[in-house]
Amino acid sequence: MALVWLMVFLTSVSGLLQMEEDPNVLIKNLRMEPGERRLTWDLHGNVSEIMCFINSKLITKAIDNNRYCQFHVLPLCEVRNFTISLTKGPPFLMGIQYPLQEGNPGAAAQRLDCWVHDVDFLTCSWEVGREAPSDVQYRLYWQELRTHREQECPHYEMDDRGRHVRCRFNDVSRLPKQLQILVRGTSHGARIPCLDRSVELSEIERLSPPNITAMCNKSYSMMEWKASSHVNLRFEYQLQIQKLQENFFQIHNPGNYMARLKVKGFFRNTWSEWSAPQYFVCDLGEDSQWPNWLLTTLVLLGTLLVPGLAVVLCGRYSVLQKLFPPIPHMKDPITDNLEGSKLVAWEASRASREDCPVAEVQVLGET
């Protein structure tokens, strides 16, 4: 039975070798051209269409009369299977592995993660490989996709054993919008494989929620904000307003309310954190647009000025009384004597106890 299996195996191998050496094979010498980022081959004859795959996933179609497949990004560290196949004709499949594996994969950096934050900063972090030697050291580089230009990280953070585990770039506005991030390892006694990741800065940005400013009165509230970013130009917002324990997004006759905001890049999936809640006082009178700090200041000033003004006025009145005493008015012989007296009806026929002359007064008109 073992002899039968051996004969079958030898027959299969000889068939494969014969197929590879068959002069009628249309595609030969499959190879990678890293500088051009393309998978190419020697084509002998006419074929309808060639498809290119990475790890069995369709990536692109061959161009230039089926001479090669062009890739936007090539892996620099992780080994992957590149294969080609024909869409028509007899079944055909050919593949290579790229790049070549160097060193122990368990010694390479792991869990590489990068993010843009606080408008200006790019930070990347990684973990030390589980099988890394004790003297391993890692360094991070970004590489521009078009020119292959590289730059090393200027600011590292280390773990308790002095190994680099984090990197920060301070001015993200000077970086290309698309990068390939590489973490290379070194050791005196072993070769350390690298770890790479392709990133688009607009996709990895963690936006900070903008601050809200508002102008309002009893009838309406106008809120404004502005998100800041060097890599995203369009944004979506979510505004949450809290008033009397109700959440809604349109305000009519707003009164006093609390609001907070979060933001994300347009066509992106990651939202920022909610901003700190901000309180707005709008019911200050018709057409009033005073900010909260001004209202508070006016209330405090009013509280302090009213007692002081009262003291000043009282003191000023006392001084004026002393400098300019009131002038006595002339005495009216009639009205002054009537103060506090009772009026009684006059009876002409009744003799008065006092012999007072009486004069008749004729009313000529009313004014």
Side-chain angles (χ1 to χ4, degrees), residues 69-107:
C69 281
Q70 185 70 57
F71 299 100
H72 181 61
V73 179
L74 281 181
L76 301 178
C77 304
E78 182 183 354
V79 178
R80 299 184 185 180
N81 296 316
F82 290 79
T83 56
I84 60 174
S85 68
L86 301 179
T87 57
K88 294 182 180 179
F92 177 85
L93 185 67
M94 181 178 290
I96 61 171
Q97 287 189 331
Y98 179 85
L100 297 178
Q101 183 68 64
E102 296 183 357
N104 179 9

mmCIF file of all heavy atoms in Angstrom, residues 69-107:
data_model
loop_
_atom_site.group_PDB
_atom_site.id
_atom_site.type_symbol
_atom_site.label_atom_id
_atom_site.label_comp_id
_atom_site.label_asym_id
_atom_site.label_seq_id
_atom_site.Cartn_x
_atom_site.Cartn_y
_atom_site.Cartn_z
ATOM 1 N N CYS A 69 0.091 44.101 -12.559
ATOM 2 C CA CYS A 69 -0.923 44.652 -11.648
ATOM 3 C C CYS A 69 -0.266 45.737 -10.794
ATOM 4 O O CYS A 69 0.795 45.508 -10.203
ATOM 5 C CB CYS A 69 -1.510 43.569 -10.750
ATOM 6 S SG CYS A 69 -2.764 42.552 -11.556
ATOM 7 N N GLN A 70 -0.911 46.885 -10.723
ATOM 8 C CA GLN A 70 -0.384 48.018 -9.963
ATOM 9 C C GLN A 70 -1.072 48.077 -8.600
ATOM 10 O O GLN A 70 -2.302 48.020 -8.507
ATOM 11 C CB GLN A 70 -0.626 49.322 -10.710
ATOM 12 C CG GLN A 70 -0.018 50.545 -10.054
ATOM 13 C CD GLN A 70 1.490 50.541 -10.144
ATOM 14 O OE1 GLN A 70 2.059 50.479 -11.221
ATOM 15 N NE2 GLN A 70 2.149 50.619 -8.978
ATOM 16 N N PHE A 71 -0.263 48.220 -7.522
ATOM 17 C CA PHE A 71 -0.789 48.325 -6.163
ATOM 18 C C PHE A 71 -0.490 49.713 -5.603
ATOM 19 O O PHE A 71 0.579 50.278 -5.860
ATOM 20 C CB PHE A 71 -0.181 47.253 -5.254
ATOM 21 C CG PHE A 71 -0.481 45.849 -5.694
ATOM 22 C CD1 PHE A 71 0.457 45.108 -6.396
ATOM 23 C CD2 PHE A 71 -1.709 45.277 -5.416
ATOM 24 C CE1 PHE A 71 0.186 43.806 -6.807
ATOM 25 C CE2 PHE A 71 -1.993 43.981 -5.821
ATOM 26 C CZ PHE A 71 -1.046 43.248 -6.518
ATOM 27 N N HIS A 72 -1.436 50.213 -4.847
ATOM 28 C CA HIS A 72 -1.234 51.511 -4.194
ATOM 29 C C HIS A 72 -0.252 51.396 -3.035
ATOM 30 O O HIS A 72 0.579 52.276 -2.812
ATOM 31 C CB HIS A 72 -2.570 52.059 -3.703
ATOM 32 C CG HIS A 72 -2.477 53.393 -3.049
ATOM 33 N ND1 HIS A 72 -2.029 54.521 -3.694
ATOM 34 C CD2 HIS A 72 -2.773 53.779 -1.772
ATOM 35 C CE1 HIS A 72 -2.056 55.541 -2.875
ATOM 36 N NE2 HIS A 72 -2.492 55.125 -1.701
ATOM 37 N N VAL A 73 -0.349 50.305 -2.292
ATOM 38 C CA VAL A 73 0.523 50.071 -1.137
ATOM 39 C C VAL A 73 0.965 48.619 -1.159
ATOM 40 O O VAL A 73 0.161 47.729 -1.447
ATOM 41 C CB VAL A 73 -0.198 50.379 0.200
ATOM 42 C CG1 VAL A 73 0.723 50.099 1.370
ATOM 43 C CG2 VAL A 73 -0.675 51.817 0.236
ATOM 44 N N LEU A 74 2.239 48.388 -0.851
ATOM 45 C CA LEU A 74 2.758 47.032 -0.704
ATOM 46 C C LEU A 74 3.158 46.794 0.742
ATOM 47 O O LEU A 74 3.700 47.705 1.401
ATOM 48 C CB LEU A 74 3.986 46.820 -1.602
ATOM 49 C CG LEU A 74 3.745 46.559 -3.087
ATOM 50 C CD1 LEU A 74 5.080 46.351 -3.791
ATOM 51 C CD2 LEU A 74 2.831 45.361 -3.310
ATOM 52 N N PRO A 75 2.908 45.609 1.265
ATOM 53 C CA PRO A 75 3.385 45.309 2.620
ATOM 54 C C PRO A 75 4.907 45.275 2.637
ATOM 55 O O PRO A 75 5.541 44.761 1.713
ATOM 56 C CB PRO A 75 2.778 43.933 2.905
ATOM 57 C CG PRO A 75 2.572 43.320 1.560
ATOM 58 C CD PRO A 75 2.231 44.448 0.648
ATOM 59 N N LEU A 76 5.483 45.831 3.689
ATOM 60 C CA LEU A 76 6.933 45.864 3.816
ATOM 61 C C LEU A 76 7.458 44.842 4.817
ATOM 62 O O LEU A 76 8.663 44.565 4.824
ATOM 63 C CB LEU A 76 7.391 47.269 4.229
ATOM 64 C CG LEU A 76 7.018 48.402 3.271
ATOM 65 C CD1 LEU A 76 7.496 49.737 3.827
ATOM 66 C CD2 LEU A 76 7.592 48.157 1.887
ATOM 67 N N CYS A 77 6.593 44.314 5.648
ATOM 68 C CA CYS A 77 7.064 43.441 6.728
ATOM 69 C C CYS A 77 6.326 42.105 6.759
ATOM 70 O O CYS A 77 6.956 41.047 6.815
ATOM 71 C CB CYS A 77 6.902 44.138 8.070
ATOM 72 S SG CYS A 77 7.733 45.753 8.160
ATOM 73 N N GLU A 78 5.011 42.119 6.766
ATOM 74 C CA GLU A 78 4.229 40.889 6.901
ATOM 75 C C GLU A 78 4.201 40.126 5.576
ATOM 76 O O GLU A 78 3.889 40.695 4.522
ATOM 77 C CB GLU A 78 2.803 41.219 7.337
ATOM 78 C CG GLU A 78 1.931 39.994 7.540
ATOM 79 C CD GLU A 78 0.510 40.369 7.911
ATOM 80 O OE1 GLU A 78 0.243 41.568 8.121
ATOM 81 O OE2 GLU A 78 -0.333 39.444 7.979
ATOM 82 N N VAL A 79 4.518 38.826 5.614
ATOM 83 C CA VAL A 79 4.522 37.994 4.416
ATOM 84 C C VAL A 79 3.083 37.731 3.971
ATOM 85 O O VAL A 79 2.240 37.329 4.776
ATOM 86 C CB VAL A 79 5.253 36.670 4.676
ATOM 87 C CG1 VAL A 79 5.220 35.788 3.427
ATOM 88 C CG2 VAL A 79 6.697 36.926 5.092
ATOM 89 N N ARG A 80 2.834 37.949 2.654
ATOM 90 C CA ARG A 80 1.506 37.716 2.100
ATOM 91 C C ARG A 80 1.629 36.952 0.783
ATOM 92 O O ARG A 80 2.667 36.986 0.121
ATOM 93 C CB ARG A 80 0.766 39.036 1.880
ATOM 94 C CG ARG A 80 0.569 39.817 3.167
ATOM 95 C CD ARG A 80 -0.232 41.059 2.958
ATOM 96 N NE ARG A 80 -0.317 41.856 4.182
ATOM 97 C CZ ARG A 80 -0.966 43.013 4.270
ATOM 98 N NH1 ARG A 80 -1.583 43.511 3.215
ATOM 99 N NH2 ARG A 80 -0.976 43.677 5.418
ATOM 100 N N ASN A 81 0.530 36.296 0.426
ATOM 101 C CA ASN A 81 0.486 35.512 -0.805
ATOM 102 C C ASN A 81 -0.110 36.355 -1.930
ATOM 103 O O ASN A 81 -1.258 36.815 -1.838
ATOM 104 C CB ASN A 81 -0.349 34.249 -0.602
ATOM 105 C CG ASN A 81 0.265 33.317 0.414
ATOM 106 O OD1 ASN A 81 1.473 33.083 0.409
ATOM 107 N ND2 ASN A 81 -0.565 32.770 1.299
ATOM 108 N N PHE A 82 0.665 36.551 -2.998
ATOM 109 C CA PHE A 82 0.216 37.262 -4.195
ATOM 110 C C PHE A 82 -0.015 36.234 -5.296
ATOM 111 O O PHE A 82 0.895 35.472 -5.647
ATOM 112 C CB PHE A 82 1.265 38.287 -4.642
ATOM 113 C CG PHE A 82 1.391 39.470 -3.725
ATOM 114 C CD1 PHE A 82 2.102 39.381 -2.539
ATOM 115 C CD2 PHE A 82 0.803 40.678 -4.053
ATOM 116 C CE1 PHE A 82 2.225 40.470 -1.698
ATOM 117 C CE2 PHE A 82 0.915 41.776 -3.226
ATOM 118 C CZ PHE A 82 1.627 41.673 -2.040
ATOM 119 N N THR A 83 -1.219 36.208 -5.847
ATOM 120 C CA THR A 83 -1.567 35.225 -6.875
ATOM 121 C C THR A 83 -2.256 35.917 -8.043
ATOM 122 O O THR A 83 -2.848 37.007 -7.881
ATOM 123 C CB THR A 83 -2.494 34.135 -6.317
ATOM 124 O OG1 THR A 83 -3.653 34.757 -5.750
ATOM 125 C CG2 THR A 83 -1.794 33.324 -5.248
ATOM 126 N N ILE A 84 -2.192 35.275 -9.197
ATOM 127 C CA ILE A 84 -2.885 35.746 -10.385
ATOM 128 C C ILE A 84 -3.666 34.580 -10.973
ATOM 129 O O ILE A 84 -3.314 33.410 -10.805
ATOM 130 C CB ILE A 84 -1.915 36.321 -11.435
ATOM 131 C CG1 ILE A 84 -0.908 35.254 -11.897
ATOM 132 C CG2 ILE A 84 -1.187 37.538 -10.880
ATOM 133 C CD1 ILE A 84 -0.021 35.713 -13.029
ATOM 134 N N SER A 85 -4.759 34.913 -11.683
ATOM 135 C CA SER A 85 -5.573 33.891 -12.341
ATOM 136 C C SER A 85 -6.208 34.503 -13.577
ATOM 137 O O SER A 85 -6.283 35.731 -13.728
ATOM 138 C CB SER A 85 -6.647 33.350 -11.394
ATOM 139 O OG SER A 85 -7.599 34.364 -11.119
ATOM 140 N N LEU A 86 -6.680 33.622 -14.470
ATOM 141 C CA LEU A 86 -7.340 34.044 -15.697
ATOM 142 C C LEU A 86 -8.846 33.993 -15.521
ATOM 143 O O LEU A 86 -9.375 33.100 -14.851
ATOM 144 C CB LEU A 86 -6.921 33.135 -16.852
ATOM 145 C CG LEU A 86 -5.412 33.072 -17.155
ATOM 146 C CD1 LEU A 86 -5.152 32.111 -18.308
ATOM 147 C CD2 LEU A 86 -4.859 34.455 -17.469
ATOM 148 N N THR A 87 -9.547 34.947 -16.140
ATOM 149 C CA THR A 87 -11.010 34.967 -16.045
ATOM 150 C C THR A 87 -11.646 34.026 -17.055
ATOM 151 O O THR A 87 -12.788 33.594 -16.865
ATOM 152 C CB THR A 87 -11.537 36.390 -16.268
ATOM 153 O OG1 THR A 87 -11.088 36.865 -17.548
ATOM 154 C CG2 THR A 87 -11.035 37.326 -15.179
ATOM 155 N N LYS A 88 -10.949 33.726 -18.153
ATOM 156 C CA LYS A 88 -11.487 32.831 -19.174
ATOM 157 C C LYS A 88 -10.418 31.824 -19.576
ATOM 158 O O LYS A 88 -9.229 32.028 -19.358
ATOM 159 C CB LYS A 88 -11.937 33.628 -20.402
ATOM 160 C CG LYS A 88 -13.114 34.553 -20.145
ATOM 161 C CD LYS A 88 -13.527 35.272 -21.407
ATOM 162 C CE LYS A 88 -14.711 36.207 -21.158
ATOM 163 N NZ LYS A 88 -15.109 36.926 -22.402
ATOM 164 N N GLY A 89 -10.841 30.744 -20.173
ATOM 165 C CA GLY A 89 -9.918 29.715 -20.612
ATOM 166 C C GLY A 89 -9.738 28.638 -19.569
ATOM 167 O O GLY A 89 -10.474 28.575 -18.566
ATOM 168 N N PRO A 90 -8.758 27.799 -19.728
ATOM 169 C CA PRO A 90 -8.524 26.717 -18.763
ATOM 170 C C PRO A 90 -8.106 27.268 -17.419
ATOM 171 O O PRO A 90 -7.539 28.356 -17.321
ATOM 172 C CB PRO A 90 -7.387 25.911 -19.425
ATOM 173 C CG PRO A 90 -6.712 26.879 -20.333
ATOM 174 C CD PRO A 90 -7.779 27.785 -20.836
ATOM 175 N N PRO A 91 -8.394 26.541 -16.345
ATOM 176 C CA PRO A 91 -8.015 27.025 -14.999
ATOM 177 C C PRO A 91 -6.514 27.297 -14.924
ATOM 178 O O PRO A 91 -5.694 26.505 -15.391
ATOM 179 C CB PRO A 91 -8.429 25.869 -14.084
ATOM 180 C CG PRO A 91 -9.471 25.134 -14.844
ATOM 181 C CD PRO A 91 -9.100 25.244 -16.293
ATOM 182 N N PHE A 92 -6.185 28.425 -14.306
ATOM 183 C CA PHE A 92 -4.788 28.811 -14.179
ATOM 184 C C PHE A 92 -4.613 29.594 -12.883
ATOM 185 O O PHE A 92 -5.398 30.508 -12.583
ATOM 186 C CB PHE A 92 -4.340 29.665 -15.372
ATOM 187 C CG PHE A 92 -2.919 30.155 -15.263
ATOM 188 C CD1 PHE A 92 -1.859 29.351 -15.680
ATOM 189 C CD2 PHE A 92 -2.625 31.403 -14.731
ATOM 190 C CE1 PHE A 92 -0.548 29.785 -15.578
ATOM 191 C CE2 PHE A 92 -1.321 31.845 -14.627
ATOM 192 C CZ PHE A 92 -0.283 31.037 -15.055
ATOM 193 N N LEU A 93 -3.578 29.241 -12.133
ATOM 194 C CA LEU A 93 -3.284 29.941 -10.877
ATOM 195 C C LEU A 93 -1.779 29.906 -10.644
ATOM 196 O O LEU A 93 -1.157 28.839 -10.717
ATOM 197 C CB LEU A 93 -4.013 29.284 -9.703
ATOM 198 C CG LEU A 93 -3.899 29.991 -8.346
ATOM 199 C CD1 LEU A 93 -4.615 31.340 -8.381
ATOM 200 C CD2 LEU A 93 -4.476 29.127 -7.236
ATOM 201 N N MET A 94 -1.201 31.074 -10.378
ATOM 202 C CA MET A 94 0.227 31.165 -10.095
ATOM 203 C C MET A 94 0.432 32.180 -8.972
ATOM 204 O O MET A 94 -0.263 33.204 -8.920
ATOM 205 C CB MET A 94 0.998 31.595 -11.348
ATOM 206 C CG MET A 94 2.516 31.700 -11.158
ATOM 207 S SD MET A 94 3.376 32.161 -12.693
ATOM 208 C CE MET A 94 3.155 30.669 -13.648
ATOM 209 N N GLY A 95 1.368 31.918 -8.064
ATOM 210 C CA GLY A 95 1.554 32.819 -6.934
ATOM 211 C C GLY A 95 2.968 32.849 -6.407
ATOM 212 O O GLY A 95 3.774 31.965 -6.689
ATOM 213 N N ILE A 96 3.252 33.908 -5.637
ATOM 214 C CA ILE A 96 4.524 34.057 -4.930
ATOM 215 C C ILE A 96 4.226 34.620 -3.551
ATOM 216 O O ILE A 96 3.127 35.127 -3.283
ATOM 217 C CB ILE A 96 5.505 34.992 -5.669
ATOM 218 C CG1 ILE A 96 4.898 36.408 -5.786
ATOM 219 C CG2 ILE A 96 5.883 34.432 -7.029
ATOM 220 C CD1 ILE A 96 5.883 37.443 -6.315
ATOM 221 N N GLN A 97 5.214 34.553 -2.671
ATOM 222 C CA GLN A 97 5.125 35.187 -1.352
ATOM 223 C C GLN A 97 6.017 36.432 -1.327
ATOM 224 O O GLN A 97 7.135 36.416 -1.841
ATOM 225 C CB GLN A 97 5.558 34.219 -0.259
ATOM 226 C CG GLN A 97 4.559 33.122 0.023
ATOM 227 C CD GLN A 97 4.925 32.320 1.256
ATOM 228 O OE1 GLN A 97 6.100 32.190 1.600
ATOM 229 N NE2 GLN A 97 3.913 31.765 1.919
ATOM 230 N N TYR A 98 5.481 37.508 -0.718
ATOM 231 C CA TYR A 98 6.244 38.752 -0.611
ATOM 232 C C TYR A 98 5.792 39.476 0.650
ATOM 233 O O TYR A 98 4.588 39.517 0.945
ATOM 234 C CB TYR A 98 6.011 39.642 -1.832
ATOM 235 C CG TYR A 98 6.761 40.943 -1.761
ATOM 236 C CD1 TYR A 98 8.078 41.024 -2.175
ATOM 237 C CD2 TYR A 98 6.147 42.087 -1.246
ATOM 238 C CE1 TYR A 98 8.776 42.226 -2.090
ATOM 239 C CE2 TYR A 98 6.832 43.282 -1.156
ATOM 240 C CZ TYR A 98 8.133 43.341 -1.584
ATOM 241 O OH TYR A 98 8.823 44.522 -1.484
ATOM 242 N N PRO A 99 6.732 40.111 1.401
ATOM 243 C CA PRO A 99 8.199 40.034 1.256
ATOM 244 C C PRO A 99 8.737 38.741 1.877
ATOM 245 O O PRO A 99 7.995 38.002 2.520
ATOM 246 C CB PRO A 99 8.672 41.254 2.029
ATOM 247 C CG PRO A 99 7.633 41.433 3.097
ATOM 248 C CD PRO A 99 6.328 41.032 2.472
ATOM 249 N N LEU A 100 10.013 38.516 1.735
ATOM 250 C CA LEU A 100 10.639 37.347 2.334
ATOM 251 C C LEU A 100 10.732 37.513 3.843
ATOM 252 O O LEU A 100 11.042 38.601 4.341
ATOM 253 C CB LEU A 100 12.035 37.132 1.737
ATOM 254 C CG LEU A 100 12.086 36.821 0.228
ATOM 255 C CD1 LEU A 100 13.534 36.693 -0.226
ATOM 256 C CD2 LEU A 100 11.293 35.562 -0.093
ATOM 257 N N GLN A 101 10.450 36.440 4.562
ATOM 258 C CA GLN A 101 10.487 36.485 6.023
ATOM 259 C C GLN A 101 11.925 36.488 6.522
ATOM 260 O O GLN A 101 12.752 35.692 6.095
ATOM 261 C CB GLN A 101 9.755 35.286 6.604
ATOM 262 C CG GLN A 101 9.670 35.289 8.127
ATOM 263 C CD GLN A 101 8.770 36.410 8.625
ATOM 264 O OE1 GLN A 101 7.580 36.412 8.353
ATOM 265 N NE2 GLN A 101 9.342 37.362 9.344
ATOM 266 N N GLU A 102 12.224 37.426 7.426
ATOM 267 C CA GLU A 102 13.559 37.509 8.031
ATOM 268 C C GLU A 102 13.408 37.519 9.546
ATOM 269 O O GLU A 102 12.693 38.357 10.098
ATOM 270 C CB GLU A 102 14.296 38.770 7.576
ATOM 271 C CG GLU A 102 14.589 38.808 6.080
ATOM 272 C CD GLU A 102 15.380 40.050 5.685
ATOM 273 O OE1 GLU A 102 15.633 40.888 6.575
ATOM 274 O OE2 GLU A 102 15.732 40.184 4.507
ATOM 275 N N GLY A 103 14.075 36.608 10.216
ATOM 276 C CA GLY A 103 14.047 36.588 11.665
ATOM 277 C C GLY A 103 12.823 35.904 12.229
ATOM 278 O O GLY A 103 11.985 35.335 11.516
ATOM 279 N N ASN A 104 12.707 35.993 13.552
ATOM 280 C CA ASN A 104 11.631 35.348 14.281
ATOM 281 C C ASN A 104 10.424 36.291 14.349
ATOM 282 O O ASN A 104 10.514 37.371 14.958
ATOM 283 C CB ASN A 104 12.112 35.000 15.689
ATOM 284 C CG ASN A 104 11.023 34.347 16.523
ATOM 285 O OD1 ASN A 104 9.961 33.992 16.018
ATOM 286 N ND2 ASN A 104 11.287 34.184 17.814
ATOM 287 N N PRO A 105 9.283 35.937 13.763
ATOM 288 C CA PRO A 105 8.115 36.832 13.813
ATOM 289 C C PRO A 105 7.676 37.162 15.230
ATOM 290 O O PRO A 105 7.120 38.237 15.477
ATOM 291 C CB PRO A 105 7.036 36.041 13.061
ATOM 292 C CG PRO A 105 7.780 35.066 12.216
ATOM 293 C CD PRO A 105 9.014 34.713 12.986
ATOM 294 N N GLY A 106 7.909 36.260 16.185
ATOM 295 C CA GLY A 106 7.506 36.526 17.566
ATOM 296 C C GLY A 106 8.314 37.614 18.245
ATOM 297 O O GLY A 106 7.934 38.101 19.313
ATOM 298 N N ALA A 107 9.456 38.013 17.635
ATOM 299 C CA ALA A 107 10.278 39.073 18.216
ATOM 300 C C ALA A 107 9.891 40.452 17.706
ATOM 301 O O ALA A 107 10.345 41.468 18.251
ATOM 302 C CB ALA A 107 11.757 38.808 17.930
#
